[in-house]
């Protein structure tokens, strides 16, 4: 099957009204909204590296979109559209049908359009998605901005995906295969959160990026980590490794003043969020357990390990 036949059959469909030109030309054209800034991110998934080789095509399609929308959410932006670059070892029409179905199900859930991309042949299955979103001028939430005295919060649960990866067939594998980008929560945090990041490489490592960018330190309370009952049944050290260093959670970790937290808490949310620590003057990340300093060494996902 030729490249353009693949695109026409599996990836071409109607787009948003504000997409002046979508799939079918050399580039897509968007019409910017008044007083909006464009937020752009990209992620690559490599078979056997970022997902097990036997992962269903539907799950790969969903995840390839979701991990990018999570980055858009981490800026407080509204996701808008994606570009897809797909490298295939061969043309497997059954796989393509399920992959595109998973991709579009994620797009549809978050009102996102596929507006362009590329397909080619490669020895290894590789999926690169570029996501675009809009945010009001000057409202983006970055990693730099955490203030001494801020609460450190995380949405949902952490460690689920890592547990699922090491216990394939367990219910938590669903959290590995089908992460949920926290787009609504990200937008609710505009004007409230002082900094934010999505948890992709492990909570401790990703929180460290906030600390470095903001020039602050933090105390993290191990007994407050929101973890599943499956992790609570493990040895404590193992549970903490999954929760702090496992990665692939795609939850939002954010800092927020106590006053803004109370304001946020007064509004109902479908996604729970938990205070897990506080920003401090000292540099680095300090762990505490039951009120006492606890020595713990964790390392997140390494892309070139």
């Amino acid at each position: 099957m030729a490249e353009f036949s693949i695109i026409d059959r599996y990836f071409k469909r109607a787009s948003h009204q504000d997409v002046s030109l979508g799939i079918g030309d050399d580039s897509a054209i968007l019409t910017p909204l008044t007083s909006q800034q464009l937020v752009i991110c990209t992620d690559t998934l490599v078979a056997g590296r970022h997902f097990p080789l036997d992962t269903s095509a539907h799950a790969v399609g969903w995840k390839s979109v979701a991990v990018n929308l999570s980055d858009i959410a981490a800026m407080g932006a509204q996701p808008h559209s994606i570009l897809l670059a797909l490298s295939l070892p061969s043309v497997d029409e059954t796989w393509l049908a399920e992959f595109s179905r998973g991709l579009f199900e994620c797009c549809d859930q978050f009102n996102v359009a596929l507006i362009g991309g590329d397909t080619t042949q490669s020895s290894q299955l590789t999926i690169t998605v570029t996501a675009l979103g809009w945010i009001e001028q000057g409202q983006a939430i970055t990693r730099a901005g955490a203030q001494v005295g801020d609460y450190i919060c995380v949405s949902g649960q952490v460690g689920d995906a890592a547990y699922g990866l090491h216990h394939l067939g367990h219910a938590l594998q669903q959290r590995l295969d089908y992460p949920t980008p926290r787009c609504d929560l990200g937008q609710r945090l505009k004007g409230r959160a002082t900094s934010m990041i999505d948890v992709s490489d492990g909570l401790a490592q990703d929180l460290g990026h906030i600390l470095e960018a903001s020039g602050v330190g933090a105390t993290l309370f191990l007994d407050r980590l929101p973890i599943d009952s499956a992790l609570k049944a493990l040895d404590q050290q193992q549970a903490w490794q999954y929760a702090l260093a496992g990665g692939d959670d795609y939850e939002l970790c954010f800092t927020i003043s106590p006053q803004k937290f109370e304001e946020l808490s007064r509004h109902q949310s479908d996604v729970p969020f938990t205070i897990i620590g506080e920003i401090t003057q000292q540099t680095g990340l300090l762990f505490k357990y039951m009120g006492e300093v606890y020595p713990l060494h964790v390392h997140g996902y390494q892309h070139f390990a």
Side-chain angles (χ1 to χ4, degrees):
M1 182 180 291
E3 175 188 2
F4 296 109
S5 297
I6 293 173
I7 294 169
D8 287 340
R9 180 174 297 183
Y10 297 107
F11 300 108
K12 190 172 184 178
R13 65 177 188 174
S15 192
H16 291 332
Q17 289 185 344
D18 58 353
V19 178
S20 303
L21 185 63
I23 292 174
D25 219 299
D26 290 324
S27 298
I29 301 176
L30 304 182
T31 303
L33 306 174
T34 304
S35 302
Q36 297 277 308
Q37 290 180 299
L38 182 62
V39 179
I40 309 171
C41 67
T42 192
D43 256 307
T44 296
L45 300 182
V46 179
R49 176 70 175 175
H50 297 100
F51 55 88
L53 292 173
D54 60 354
T55 302
S56 75
H58 185 277
V60 175
W62 173 283
K63 188 169 185 174
S64 64
V65 177
V67 300
N68 282 275
L69 299 190
S70 183
D71 281 331
I72 297 292
M75 306 297 290
Q78 169 74 48
H80 177 271
S81 49
I82 62 166
L83 302 167
L84 169 68
L86 184 60
S87 299
L88 298 166
S90 62
V91 176
D92 181 335
E93 294 196 46
T94 300
W95 189 93
L96 280 166
E98 281 301 290
F99 172 83
S100 61
R101 189 169 69 86
L103 179 142
F104 281 123
E105 282 186 11
C106 190
C107 285
D108 290 346
Q109 182 164 324
F110 297 95
N111 194 29
V112 166
L114 174 63
I115 60 172
D118 188 36
T119 58
T120 190
Q121 186 171 25
S122 172
S123 60
Q124 191 166 21
L125 172 63
T126 305
I127 306 110
T128 298
V129 169
T130 298
L132 301 91
W134 297 107
I135 194 164
E136 296 86 349
Q137 186 83 25
Q139 289 294 301
I141 307 169
T142 69
R143 300 176 183 184
Q147 302 293 315
V148 174
D150 282 351
Y151 293 151
I152 302 166
C153 301
V154 70
S155 64
Q157 295 182 167
V158 288
D160 290 0
Y163 185 93
L165 177 62
H166 290 89
H167 299 80
L168 296 177
H170 189 277
L172 288 182
Q173 185 182 342
Q174 185 79 358
R175 292 269 287 143
L176 171 71
D177 293 344
Y178 293 92
T180 303
R182 304 304 189 183
C183 298
D184 289 344
L185 177 60
Q187 291 168 68
R188 289 180 59 214
L189 287 165
K190 285 185 300 185
R192 292 180 173 134
T194 53
S195 67
M196 186 153 61
I197 192 170
D198 80 320
V199 181
S200 56
D201 295 333
L203 176 60
Q205 180 168 294
D206 289 326
L207 174 57
H209 296 320
I210 286 180
L211 304 185
E212 182 178 1
S214 301
V216 294
T219 298
L220 194 148
F221 308 119
L222 296 170
D223 45 306
R224 296 189 189 177
L225 292 174
I227 59 175
D228 192 84
S229 58
L231 275 72
K232 292 177 182 177
L234 298 173
D235 171 80
Q236 203 169 58
Q237 293 283 334
Q238 182 63 72
W240 289 338
Q241 288 294 326
Y242 282 143
L244 295 171
D248 255 9
D249 290 307
Y250 299 102
E251 297 292 349
L252 294 179
C253 176
F254 59 95
T255 60
I256 188 170
S257 71
Q259 295 79 14
K260 291 292 185 180
F261 180 83
E262 291 302 318
E263 178 185 310
L264 180 67
S265 298
R266 286 196 293 269
H267 300 275
Q268 279 192 329
S269 173
D270 292 335
V271 180
F273 43 86
T274 306
I275 299 172
I276 58 170
E278 60 186 24
I279 297 296
T280 60
Q281 188 68 55
Q282 103 259 343
T283 58
L285 179 58
L286 180 71
F287 295 103
K288 282 190 175 181
Y289 179 64
M290 304 299 287
E292 300 294 329
V293 174
Y294 193 97
L296 185 65
H297 300 284
V298 292
H299 300 283
Y301 179 79
Q302 300 300 312
H303 293 266
F304 292 93

